[in-house]
Amino acid sequence: MGFYGKEPVNAAKTTATYLWTGLNTPGVFIIEVQGDAPNYSYGFTLVRDAHFVGGLKIDSMGWTGPLGEGTTPYKCHGTFPGQYVPKIVISGSNGDFVIPVKEIAHDEVDSYVKSKSAELV
């Protein structure tokens, strides 16, 4: 039986990008988290901390169990609408990390999305 909780985060491999969608409309944060989770972990997801004030805090969550020796690398992506802030907090079982946010201007969003789509193919 697995247990749901925070997973370890590698802050050096975690990125945050803000896509401006236009004037007078909130944009979108694209968060990519990587880490090394204990064996045997699965069901990774990013969850917004609704009780955090003063910006955006994202928890890296997943299911772990039964416990085994070693770790397995994982990647998780998520999108979150909101007002731009220059730094966000990513929280994992190994602590909280402040991550700088890269901005993509509204007129460059289409080319950014196409480039990210090409990477996935």
Side-chain angles (χ1 to χ4, degrees), residues 3 5 12 15 19 25 33 38 43 48 50 53-54 58-59 61 63 76 80 84 94 97-98 102 117 120:
F3 297 94
T15 62
L19 304 181
T25 59
V33 174
R48 180 182 220 142
V53 293
I58 303 296
D59 298 328
M61 305 293 287
W63 291 89
C76 192
F80 303 90
Y84 172 77
N94 56 334
F97 305 94
V98 177
K102 177 183 173 185
S117 296
L120 297 175

Side-chain angles (χ1 to χ4, degrees), residues 14-63:
T14 297
T15 62
T17 306
Y18 187 79
L19 304 181
W20 287 95
T21 55
L23 295 174
N24 300 321
T25 59
V28 178
F29 290 92
I30 298 175
I31 313 298
E32 299 177 6
V33 174
Q34 294 185 36
D36 293 306
N39 286 337
Y40 299 89
S41 296
Y42 56 95
F44 302 104
T45 187
L46 299 178
V47 178
R48 180 182 220 142
D49 184 339
H51 301 288
F52 184 75
V53 293
L56 178 64
K57 182 179 180 187
I58 303 296
D59 298 328
S60 181
M61 305 293 287
W63 291 89

